Amino acid sequence: MDTLRQYFSRLTNRVRVRGRTFRPTSPPLICPETGNRLLSNGSVLIEKRHGRKYEIMHGIPLLVPETKANSSGRKPSSELVAMIAKEYDNTLDPEAIRSILSTRFVFRERWIQIESDQFIDRVFNSSKVLPEALADATDVDMINVVPGDHRLSCIFDLEEVPTSTDFSMNVTLRNGGDEAIDSSGPYPFLIGHRWSRDIPGGQALETVEGHRTPLLCSIMPGHSMTIPVAIATPAAGGSYRLDIMPLQENALWFTDAGVAFNVQVSDNAVFPPPTSWRQTNVKRSYNEDHIEALRLAELWISDRFVGRELNIVEVGGNASPMIAGLDYANRLNFDVDPYGLMIGRHANANHVAAGGCYPVDFILADGLNLPIEDGWADAICVFSAFHHFPDPVELLRSLESKLSSNGLILLMCEPVGHVHRSGIDDGYLAELRKGVNEQSFALWEYDQIFEKSHLTIYRSQLDAGSLKVALCRKEP
């Protein structure tokens, strides 16, 4: 006969064992490495077949492979904790904030590491602006040629352009050397272009150099930057070869590092905005623009789907996902910033507890490798984050595989047009110096991105400097 103490001891052990039992996650998540279903016991996710394990911290599954979390050795001040708590109406536990900000996360991919630090950088530097003195801190006075396997790449096609026209086109430059490169000093690093064609009736090749485009700021070794190259087209029509190459002025052209296009130059060619896009001239503030985007998202999703519960996903929602404003039960917010996700998850849980809405699930994951089964998502929303992905075509193709048969990808509040060095603002420049992938696209570039992704436009609205578009699969 058990004593009362023995009875309670056995009962407690059974409860503990039950608590360690792994159950299917809800909503269903898959392993980002194997694609198999994940099971959860509340603190760890496990893929049983291959033994993959993923930690859960502050309610956030860490589903970026090889994520490492340890103490940062940096303790946030009481003032900083109070400032964050105040942002969320003092509903967050100060100890939870302190624990989150005292953790250091390390990722395998460089671009994920840079993006993941955005929230923590803004928090610890919230009252600081990069002083002007830092503007040249990483600039290089290039008195010698900068060696290295520098590379230009471009995701766009250029088949026909108008004569005597100035336009710009995004290329990506990777610094393959051991030194920073910059457009300063007597041998500035620039991007140039050359037009060449066979002279009619002759044997010679006519080559004309175009003007140079400076880098937006220094590019550190191993880093890449998207740069809109200014291009002036020839005055005479005909068939040309356009070479875009990096160079050091007064030194050399990196001829093996460039990209080339066979281009027809014609009086009749134009770069029109797609005629199917609804255009307005309305200019809104950042907050007003996002409110309008949320209104459109709700309208477009409800137009597309009738009579069933939907699975809604946001990529890049960080601490404040816009889909929290959409009244659906199944909502997942994916981001690579663990700090923002953890703060946002605590805030959302408190909001739900107060009767505010359905919960949003916050998950650390790469947008290029979402840990959900193919066909699960009815709508995937990206608000002001699409342009941060290095390869937008690769992103859209990856997201398309996760869509249900009638699914939509919504790209909202995306910048339109190019940012050049002469007109760059301090905030944009500060992000570039940290290595953040900042870029924006011209209308014809967006058009090509969607075409290369095998998607078509379901609904669109082009406001002043802000694109909002819903994409769907093309009809077979």
Side-chain angles (χ1 to χ4, degrees), residues 32 61-65 67 107-109 111-112 115 313-316 333-337 341 363-372 388-390 394-395 398-399 402:
L62 306 183
L63 293 182
V64 174
T67 300
F107 297 90
R108 179 179 58 192
E109 299 286 341
W111 79 271
I112 293 180
E115 289 289 339
V313 168
E314 182 166 352
V315 174
N333 173 38
F334 296 101
D335 204 291
V336 294
D337 186 339
L341 287 170
I363 301 162
L364 183 81
D366 180 1
L368 293 168
N369 187 19
L370 292 182
I372 54 175
H388 286 302
F389 285 85
E394 182 185 10
L395 173 66
S398 175
L399 297 183
K402 303 299 180 181

Side-chain angles (χ1 to χ4, degrees), residues 19-300:
R20 289 196 298 267
T21 300
F22 285 89
R23 296 181 175 84
T25 60
S26 179
L29 297 174
I30 63 172
C31 174
E33 297 173 280
T34 68
N36 295 327
R37 283 282 187 98
L38 291 172
L39 302 175
S40 172
N41 73 344
S43 61
V44 175
L45 296 180
I46 184 171
E47 187 266 20
K48 280 195 166 182
R49 184 174 181 182
H50 299 91
R52 301 286 200 278
K53 291 184 179 181
Y54 304 91
E55 192 174 354
I56 299 174
M57 293 185 64
H58 291 275
I60 304 298
L62 306 183
L63 293 182
V64 174
E66 299 183 33
T67 300
K68 295 180 174 61
N70 46 56
S71 175
S72 67
R74 177 171 58 178
K75 294 184 178 180
S77 66
S78 298
E79 292 78 11
L80 182 57
V81 171
M83 181 191 76
I84 295 173
K86 185 178 180 181
E87 285 290 316
Y88 293 92
D89 300 322
N90 294 311
T91 59
L92 301 185
D93 178 11
E95 287 307 312
I97 299 173
R98 191 169 283 107
S99 173
I100 292 167
L101 300 185
S102 299
T103 305
R104 172 64 176 162
F105 294 90
V106 179
F107 297 90
R108 179 179 58 192
E109 299 286 341
R110 172 180 287 162
W111 79 271
I112 293 180
Q113 185 69 59
I114 293 169
E115 289 289 339
S116 73
D117 289 335
Q118 287 302 292
F119 187 91
I120 199 80
D121 284 348
R122 291 190 182 106
V123 165
F124 279 98
N125 298 291
S126 57
S127 61
K128 302 175 185 176
V129 177
L130 281 178
E132 199 63 34
L134 285 183
D136 298 322
T138 57
D139 289 352
V140 181
D141 186 14
M142 296 184 181
I143 59 175
N144 296 307
V145 171
V146 180
D149 185 22
H150 311 299
R151 290 289 163 187
L152 271 186
S153 59
C154 182
I155 64 171
F156 301 106
D157 298 324
L158 201 62
E159 298 178 352
E160 188 178 32
V161 296
T163 55
S164 302
T165 299
D166 294 329
F167 70 99
S168 55
M169 174 180 180
N170 278 322
V171 299
T172 300
L173 174 62
R174 182 183 185 275
N175 179 359
D178 297 326
E179 306 173 39
I181 56 177
D182 188 76
S183 298
S184 62
Y187 301 93
F189 208 101
L190 307 167
I191 300 178
H193 65 279
R194 293 172 174 169
W195 293 96
S196 56
R197 65 168 180 166
D198 293 324
I199 298 176
Q203 303 297 317
L205 185 70
E206 177 187 50
T207 300
V208 177
E209 287 188 9
H211 47 251
R212 321 294 202 231
T213 297
L215 310 184
L216 298 175
C217 69
S218 299
I219 306 177
M220 302 306 291
H223 285 221
S224 299
M225 181 179 294
T226 300
I227 302 160
V229 177
I231 299 173
T233 66
S239 299
Y240 287 81
R241 174 186 166 102
L242 171 64
D243 288 282
I244 304 175
M245 294 173 282
L247 69 138
Q248 275 189 263
E249 198 70 274
N250 306 316
L252 84 164
W253 289 73
F254 294 90
T255 54
D256 294 334
V259 292
F261 305 88
N262 293 317
V263 184
Q264 190 69 31
V265 180
S266 167
D267 292 336
N268 299 321
V270 291
F271 280 131
T275 54
S276 61
W277 295 15
R278 176 175 176 264
Q279 299 185 59
T280 77
N281 293 316
V282 178
K283 185 172 180 60
R284 299 181 178 87
S285 68
Y286 182 89
N287 287 338
E288 291 170 343
D289 197 48
H290 279 67
I291 291 171
E292 171 67 3
L294 188 62
R295 183 188 72 81
L296 291 174
E298 189 171 26
L299 176 63
W300 294 343

